[in-house]
Amino acid sequence: MSAQMLRVTEIEALSPLVKRFRFEHPGGKKLPLFSGGAHVVVEMPDGDLLRRNAYSLISDPQDGSGYEIAVRREDGGRGGSRFMHSNVGQGDTLRISTPLNLFSLDARARKHVLIAGGIGITPIIAQMRQLLRMQDRFEIHYAARLRSEAAGLRLLPRLPHIHSHISDEGDRMDLGAILDRQPIGTHVYTCGPEGLITAVAQCAARLGWPRGSLHSEVFLAPPPGRAFEVTLAKSGRTVTVGPHQSLLEALEEAQVEIDWSCRGGACGRCETDVVSCHGRIEHNDHWLSEDEHSSQTKIMPCVSRFRGRELIIDR
Amino acid sequence: MPATKFTPSIISRPIYGGLTPHGTVPALMLASGPGGEALLDLIAADPAVLPHATVIYIPEGSDLGPRLEAQGPASYVEAASYASILPRFRKLLAEAPMNTRLYLAGTEGLIGQATAEALAAGMLLEAIEAEHRGSLARRMQCVHCKGITEDVTTDPFTCSHCGLSLFVRDHYSRRYAAFQGVCVDAETPGEVPPKQEIKA
Ligand code: FES
């Protein structure tokens, strides 16, 4: 994964829990352009620990003068977002990967409907900037619980086709009303909690929409869990995965060569064959099929864990 | 006339899965000639497809029109040709909601052109059902002059634009809704193999 050291040039609080970070090249060089929906992986060296978290870019895809992300502090998380909030200051340099897009706009669309829940608004901000530039037809529906916590409100322009729904004020997003009567050629992009993505899929299915018109990205951080051991078939070594560590991180710590990209169970790059499994793999990815999950023949080390007697993987 | 079964060929050769009903969602149904029978079969399989269906029928000498109309779709239009109905078909696509299904039945030329039109309007392939009925005539594009010759029934055939003798390939362009015709006597001018009727 190619990456470069970039300097933090701006930090701004968008809400009590969400901060915006801007990164620029220390020598003022232009950064590679990207497309709306892309993310970067930020490396956070914290003592002996090297954390890597993926964040969606919120800046203009056509603007190479800097990259911007918005980070929500997750106090129950594994510490990456806390590190960004408390340890990173203006002028610091961090290693940032080249942008990669697993949530791009569909070029066949005649109209785009963007649906975001909470911090899921981030990729949609860059998609919106791209759509505004291309003068494509779109609408945005952004749902948040409290106005004071709705960081997206600071990032969304006031336009008649951009709608915010604050549930605490009695304005709940009505998916049925949003999807009903949309013209053919409409594509829907949903980012937010798993429940929202499922709700959009169910609503679209109920209305009889073709499935190919639905696109989504779940914000998936590797969930913590119980510590477990994994045996590596190629070397016979055994690696211990700590409660707040992912299997991928444990493999990296053990200097095992492994490819990755999204670190969130979506891109498929870290897919690993299981040689033998006595126990249950806790699959947390969105990459493998249901059959692959139930047969326990593959694992995505970036997000999935294991419980049981023995797991041998082909690494 | 039953649905045509094509022999397996190269991957670009379209295959038509047949008309599977999708229930009460809005439907556009477009058929020509014996394709009308496929619509009647579809309606018989699931009458729920009718109340929100717009049926366009191009009889091409067939007498299925009155039977189709008698089924009682939301609206029924008869057309002299695909070209004559195209403006109306475009308007229907432009006004169609996202849950619309398109049911096509008839010749490959009709299915292909209507599919290309629907894709251009933003419809997804998975929302289109198609069944081949009737003539095996192909819509051919000459790869040399780019002209399109309709209703080609023999292989080789003569390009109606540039006059070359063209070999009928299974290589298909979804965008042009046409098979590709390649000069058959390029290496040995004048040596044209005997014409054969195109088979499925
Ligand atoms: S790194 Fe993308 S699925 Fe694991």
Side-chain angles (χ1 to χ4, degrees), chain A residues 94-268:
Chain A
L94 289 174
R95 236 170 104 81
I96 313 279
S97 77
T98 304
L100 183 95
N101 201 344
L102 299 171
F103 189 42
S104 52
L105 295 167
D106 195 312
R108 295 170 299 178
R110 307 292 299 263
K111 181 180 179 185
H112 307 263
V113 173
L114 313 172
I115 300 175
I119 194 65
I121 189 66
T122 52
I124 284 179
I125 296 293
Q127 290 178 331
M128 170 194 75
R129 296 187 203 278
Q130 181 176 334
L131 290 166
L132 285 170
R133 205 180 263 279
M134 299 192 310
Q135 305 201 347
D136 264 10
R137 223 168 128 203
F138 74 95
E139 55 189 67
I140 292 181
H141 298 272
Y142 167 52
R145 208 162 51 83
L146 287 165
R147 184 167 294 276
S148 58
E149 285 176 8
L153 294 176
R154 297 276 303 275
L155 300 166
L156 291 167
R158 265 176 220 279
L159 288 170
H161 48 291
I162 297 181
H163 310 274
S164 301
H165 307 271
I166 308 292
S167 61
D168 193 53
E169 295 170 10
D171 179 3
R172 296 191 72 91
M173 188 153 71
D174 180 352
L175 293 175
I178 293 171
L179 297 188
D180 197 22
R181 297 299 305 173
Q182 290 288 355
I184 59 167
T186 303
H187 283 251
V188 174
Y189 309 83
T190 312
C191 186
E194 195 102 46
L196 178 66
I197 290 162
T198 316
V200 170
Q202 282 171 350
C203 181
R206 187 162 42 77
L207 292 169
W209 283 42
R211 286 186 55 155
S213 54
L214 305 180
H215 313 266
S216 63
E217 187 163 75
V218 200
F219 261 61
L220 202 58
R226 276 210 240 152
F228 62 98
E229 283 190 349
V230 174
T231 304
L232 311 178
K234 290 192 178 137
S235 59
R237 285 159 68 204
T238 295
V239 171
T240 304
V241 184
H244 287 277
Q245 207 177 21
S246 69
L247 170 54
L248 175 64
E249 287 164 344
L251 292 172
E252 287 170 333
E253 200 178 270
Q255 315 280 319
V256 177
E257 198 58 57
I258 176 163
D259 202 12
W260 54 268
S261 169
C262 70
R263 305 182 78 89
C267 74

Side-chain angles (χ1 to χ4, degrees), chain A residues 1-6 23 40-46 49-55 69 80 83-84 88 93-97 252 260 263:
Chain A
M1 169 113 313
S2 69
Q4 54 184 331
M5 297 300 293
L6 299 181
F23 302 99
V40 290
V41 173
V42 179
E43 291 191 3
M44 297 168 258
D46 187 7
L49 213 68
L50 179 62
R51 286 201 191 82
R52 293 188 175 104
N53 276 16
Y55 294 105
I69 59 172
F83 179 89
M84 288 300 290
V88 175
T93 53
L94 289 174
R95 236 170 104 81
I96 313 279
S97 77
E252 287 170 333
W260 54 268
R263 305 182 78 89

